[in-house]
Amino acid sequence: MHATKALAEADRLMTVCNSCRYCEGLCAVFPAMEMRRAFPDGDLNYLANLCHACGACYHDCQFAPPHEFDVNVPKTLAEVRNQSYAAYAWPRAFAGLFARNGLVVAIAAALSVAVFILGFVAWHDPAVLFGVHAGPGAFYRLMPHNAMALLFGAAFLYAIVAMAMSVRMFWRDIGPSPGGPAGLRALWQAVGDAGRLRYLDGGGVGCFNEDDRPTDRRRIYHHLTFYGFLLCFAATTVATGYHYVLGLEAPYPWYDLPVVLGTLGGIGLLIGPVGLLAAKWRREAALQDEPRFGMDVAFIVMLFLTSLTGLALLVLRETGAMGVLLALHLGVVFALFVTMPYGKFVHGLYRFAALVRYARERRAFMEPAEVPETVTTGQGGTRP
Ligand code: SF4
Ligand code: SF4
């Protein structure tokens, strides 16, 4: 007995696939499936989060619709995956946020914070809001650094705690890991697999998105978004070190490390999300979990807006537009932080946890010497 219809359908499909095994060379899902005889909910959530939605097994499947077996693994695993985000949400009372219109919630939160900052500054001294400020400490004329650090530190800390609790629930639900405590080699393997999106390549030919012609576009846009995000995070971390360790106040010159990292990351976060949105828009309907389209879009749009307002602030920081742009940027970043645990961001965390689990299972079920990096299959793909 399963908790949802999607989980029951995933159980049926995994049972069919476990008899067929034609797709075992395409990604990590099928080898992980083959290590099981039964599929309780926790295992299905694990397999769903191991799936990178490359679409290859739908196009390769001889039992896909209109066949009476009606096998559509990518769509069913997408449904299970999306439902798992709500199932592991912390606190549980906020699980419903995944089902609401994420984009409206995130934009409303961003505008609320921006309007609050603008209203507060305008009420105190409108000249500060529309004045031209330059040199170290210019940003803090609008909002004192300590207030900024407190507000955003609290939002970020909340997001970290909420996501850590969710991943903990997921890790426990997928059952005890074979082979004892996590080995560093398994962890390193998972870092490598996540860092290069190893399983978003359709078994070596590329990702199937809008038709049966695979391309690497989705993987490239995903990389730009992921590494753009990491660079922006690195920029913020370095800037925090500059402020508290070196006593240097923002804004920094364009050639300084926080600005260089932030600019490169910002460019990635402009191009990547636009590409992902376009890919999502064109994605074959048969592969999509339609009801969750809004939640996926919300996170991508918020990343894009974070970058857009950040780069606009960089270009116009020595003009009278700085005050309004800074308030907008802070509002968007705040909304991004507080909606992070209840949006698409969590897919990266669950997927990484699933990759760690998979690397451990493989090492537990195979002698280390048997664990291959990649093996070319007869289907022209690569076996994980
Ligand atoms: S998706 Fe289809 S072809 Fe692939 S293993 Fe499952 S049943 Fe077989
Ligand atoms: S990663 Fe690709 S091949 Fe593997 S289950 Fe998901 S959609 Fe199918």
Side-chain angles (χ1 to χ4, degrees), residues 26-30 50-58 73-74 77 199:
L26 293 180
C27 69
V29 172
F30 295 95
L50 201 51
C51 170
H52 286 48
C54 76
C57 60
Y58 177 74
V73 175
L77 292 190
Y199 300 115

Side-chain angles (χ1 to χ4, degrees), residues 255-271:
Y255 50 80
D256 225 333
L257 191 56
V259 182
V260 172
L261 291 173
T263 305
L264 291 175
I267 292 169
L269 278 184
L270 280 184
I271 303 170

Side-chain angles (χ1 to χ4, degrees), residues 26-29 50-54 189 193-194 196-203 219 355 358 362 373 382-384:
L26 293 180
C27 69
V29 172
L50 201 51
C51 170
H52 286 48
C54 76
Q189 171 82 47
D193 290 346
R196 60 197 159 116
L197 285 176
R198 183 175 169 190
Y199 300 115
L200 195 58
D201 71 349
R219 184 148 72 146
L355 285 169
Y358 177 64
R362 283 180 63 78
E373 178 62 8
T382 52
R383 183 188 295 269

Side-chain angles (χ1 to χ4, degrees), residues 18 20 40 46 91 99 101 106 113 158 178 183 188 235 264 283 315:
N18 224 353
C20 168
Y46 156 60
N101 190 334
V113 173
Y158 172 77
W188 185 242
L264 291 175
R283 192 160 173 82
V315 174

Side-chain angles (χ1 to χ4, degrees), residues 75-130:
K75 180 170 184 168
T76 302
L77 292 190
E79 284 172 13
V80 171
R81 192 165 54 244
N82 288 328
Q83 288 173 7
S84 75
Y85 303 153
Y88 299 121
W90 185 92
R92 296 306 295 262
F94 289 176
L97 286 175
F98 282 99
R100 306 234 165 83
N101 190 334
L103 188 55
V104 173
V105 171
I107 288 182
L111 287 178
S112 306
V113 173
V115 167
F116 175 77
I117 295 172
L118 288 172
F120 187 77
V121 178
W123 181 63
H124 258 273
D125 186 357
V128 170
L129 184 58
F130 299 107

Side-chain angles (χ1 to χ4, degrees), residues 13-78:
L13 296 190
M14 290 298 98
T15 305
V16 174
C17 291
N18 224 353
S19 311
C20 168
R21 300 194 172 186
Y22 179 75
C23 297
E24 63 179 5
L26 293 180
C27 69
V29 172
F30 295 95
M33 169 199 77
E34 290 172 13
M35 295 180 210
R36 290 163 166 77
R37 292 277 185 273
F39 301 99
D41 287 357
D43 285 38
L44 291 168
N45 284 330
Y46 156 60
L47 294 174
N49 280 285
L50 201 51
C51 170
H52 286 48
C54 76
C57 60
Y58 177 74
H59 285 278
D60 283 5
C61 184
Q62 60 269 40
F63 304 122
H67 191 280
E68 62 185 318
F69 285 6
D70 194 24
V71 173
N72 186 340
V73 175
K75 180 170 184 168
T76 302
L77 292 190

